[in-house]
Amino acid sequence: MDKANSNTFFAGAVLLFSSLSYAGESPLSLSASIGVEYDDNLSVSALDTTTGQSDEAIVLDFSASYLAIESENTELELVYDLYQSKHDTFSDFDLQIHTLSAFGSWEVDDMDLGLYYSYSMVDLGNEALYDSHSLTPSLGFALAEGWYNRFSYGHVSKDFASASERDAAQNSISADNYYFFMDNSAFVSLGAKLELEDAEDNELDYQAIYLKTAVSFPFYYNNEKLIDLKGRYERYWRDYDNVTLSIGKKRDDNQDLIGLELIKPINESFDVVLDYEYTNTRSNLPSVDAEENVITLRVTTDF
């Protein structure tokens, strides 16, 4: 499972929530989580491999963000994130990701201009897997009260340590529509993305269409938050441009992904989070034609 891109679907909404709810507190914020994870089909999507083997892992995440600039119309946030998994049996699937990122936003008239950059170093099994650079300019604007549209262009370059044929440049355009309600504490969204990847090995060049939808809302009891529920569904169709020699034809993939997250507040600083993710990938390349279920239970804190 490639954690480098996990939870990216909620990233845009998180940035929107941040801009709507920031209360002028300390510019430095820290967060951490620790938990256990069960995966019934260990896989590495970046290498097009699945194992059919299950395993448990301890998962750790630490994030530090610093609001370097905050003015009436401009913000700049700098973030460092560390992710680490340690498997019980298959240590070759231990994943470590270091990510440095910066997000700048500017309000111009009734529009929000954004620019996001990140650099990630991904290690698998204590060996370097790949480094990646990502740059995403965006344009957002409100259509009506509660409605928000965001258009973005993304460029990602990937440099693999020992699989140079997978070095690639990826370009995409996205459109996401959000509807916020319950005083901006909840939202529903619908989005689409067109993605093109040009790899060093022509067999890996592809074009893809993604459709995605998500919902996030809190439940209250006696005016106290009982639980937060987040759900998402994604579907992609990926057509490869050239013949894959191992199957003697052009590769054709499509995938359904369902994600659910329950967040139970314990107090002002700690939450218990239960994540479930199901993926069903159908492909004429046998190494990626598989289903996978991942369940994670973790404790998170902000300090």
Side-chain angles (χ1 to χ4, degrees), residues 14-15 54 57 82 94 100 123 125 127 153 187 199 262 270 273 288:
V14 169
L15 291 171
S54 63
L82 168 66
D94 291 349
L100 294 171
D123 292 347
E127 295 184 358
Y153 161 77
F187 75 89
L262 296 174
F270 288 90
V273 182
V288 299

Side-chain angles (χ1 to χ4, degrees), residues 127-131 159-164 167:
E127 295 184 358
L129 180 59
Y130 69 85
D131 296 346
D159 182 13
F160 282 77
S162 59
S164 59
D167 293 351

Side-chain angles (χ1 to χ4, degrees), residues 109-142:
D109 296 330
D110 294 329
M111 298 183 296
D112 299 319
L113 304 180
L115 183 62
Y116 175 80
Y117 168 78
S118 69
Y119 170 65
S120 293
M121 298 178 292
V122 182
D123 292 347
L124 181 67
N126 294 319
E127 295 184 358
L129 180 59
Y130 69 85
D131 296 346
S132 69
H133 296 267
S134 176
L135 184 66
T136 305
S138 63
L139 170 66
F141 54 89

Side-chain angles (χ1 to χ4, degrees), residues 44-204:
V44 183
S45 60
L47 298 177
D48 293 327
T49 60
T50 59
T51 66
Q53 300 292 324
S54 63
D55 202 2
E56 299 84 31
I58 295 174
V59 291
L60 302 169
D61 204 331
F62 171 79
S63 181
S65 63
Y66 181 74
L67 193 60
I69 299 175
E70 184 195 22
S71 66
E72 184 177 355
N73 298 317
T74 304
E75 287 188 4
L76 175 63
E77 185 176 20
L78 308 176
V79 180
Y80 166 73
D81 186 79
L82 168 66
Y83 173 86
Q84 175 72 64
S85 67
K86 285 289 187 180
H87 286 81
D88 181 43
T89 303
F90 296 97
S91 60
D92 287 348
F93 287 84
D94 291 349
L95 192 63
Q96 184 180 93
I97 306 171
H98 298 271
T99 301
L100 294 171
S101 58
F103 177 75
S105 62
W106 302 266
E107 291 185 15
V108 180
D109 296 330
D110 294 329
M111 298 183 296
D112 299 319
L113 304 180
L115 183 62
Y116 175 80
Y117 168 78
S118 69
Y119 170 65
S120 293
M121 298 178 292
V122 182
D123 292 347
L124 181 67
N126 294 319
E127 295 184 358
L129 180 59
Y130 69 85
D131 296 346
S132 69
H133 296 267
S134 176
L135 184 66
T136 305
S138 63
L139 170 66
F141 54 89
L143 295 175
E145 184 176 357
W147 288 95
Y148 192 87
N149 259 4
R150 181 174 179 266
F151 297 93
S152 61
Y153 161 77
H155 176 80
V156 180
S157 62
K158 294 180 285 187
D159 182 13
F160 282 77
S162 59
S164 59
E165 71 278 3
R166 292 185 175 273
D167 293 351
Q170 183 186 101
N171 294 280
S172 64
I173 54 174
S174 301
D176 297 284
N177 183 266
Y178 300 87
Y179 177 66
F180 293 91
F181 55 100
M182 296 179 66
D183 293 327
N184 294 323
S185 66
F187 75 89
V188 293
S189 68
L190 181 65
K193 180 171 74 170
L194 173 63
E195 180 178 274
L196 304 175
E197 181 155 305
D198 182 13
E200 189 70 22
D201 185 345
N202 291 336
E203 286 189 12
L204 301 173

